[in-house]
Amino acid sequence: MDDDRWKSQRGDEWWFDGGSISASAQFVPGSSALPIDSVSGISTADQLEFLLSQTIRQFPGIEPRLLVTATVKNLLTELTSRGVLTWVPLPHPSSLEARISQFATFEPASCAPTNSLP
């Protein structure tokens, strides 16, 4: 689709272009997760919600995961308190990742675009 924010040349590395918001992700074949390992231009909960909603809209059935920084944690907490999402912390030896387990503002999969990761 022309309005897709996530782009890829080979299908394993993805880049998000949302105006002032950018992100990158690595798709692992056979996984239902899309680990978003780099995010910039996000300072508000609304901006994070936009990134996640675009991700879920473009890739129905894929579970976004975010590297948790202090800023991202505060924004996730705000979105959780608003009832927009729930997330589960996934600790790693040197970092923390957020698994987005529910997201309230995306379209049901039956109405979402049919693009999928390879």
Side-chain angles (χ1 to χ4, degrees):
M1 299 182 87
D2 292 330
D3 61 345
D4 287 344
R5 302 286 184 158
W6 283 101
K7 307 285 184 198
S8 179
Q9 290 188 6
R10 297 182 316 204
D12 58 345
E13 297 176 358
W14 290 81
W15 298 270
F16 181 87
D17 181 9
S20 64
I21 301 169
S22 62
S24 64
Q26 304 290 322
F27 177 67
V28 179
S31 173
S32 63
L34 180 65
I36 301 170
D37 50 28
S38 172
V39 176
S40 63
I42 291 182
S43 59
T44 69
D46 289 340
Q47 290 171 322
L48 181 57
E49 182 179 358
F50 174 75
L51 170 66
L52 293 172
S53 68
Q54 292 297 306
T55 302
I56 291 168
R57 182 196 61 77
Q58 189 170 339
F59 305 115
I62 291 294
E63 181 180 83
R65 295 189 179 181
L66 291 168
L67 184 62
V68 177
T69 63
T71 299
V72 168
K73 185 174 183 179
N74 290 337
L75 300 178
L76 287 168
T77 300
E78 182 178 337
L79 290 173
T80 299
S81 70
R82 284 200 239 158
V84 172
L85 59 79
T86 57
W87 65 284
V88 176
L90 300 173
H92 298 287
S94 61
S95 65
L96 179 65
E97 189 176 48
R99 177 175 65 90
I100 308 304
S101 57
Q102 289 185 306
F103 193 78
T105 61
F106 71 98
E107 299 171 1
S110 62
C111 299
T114 57
N115 288 7
S116 61
L117 292 171

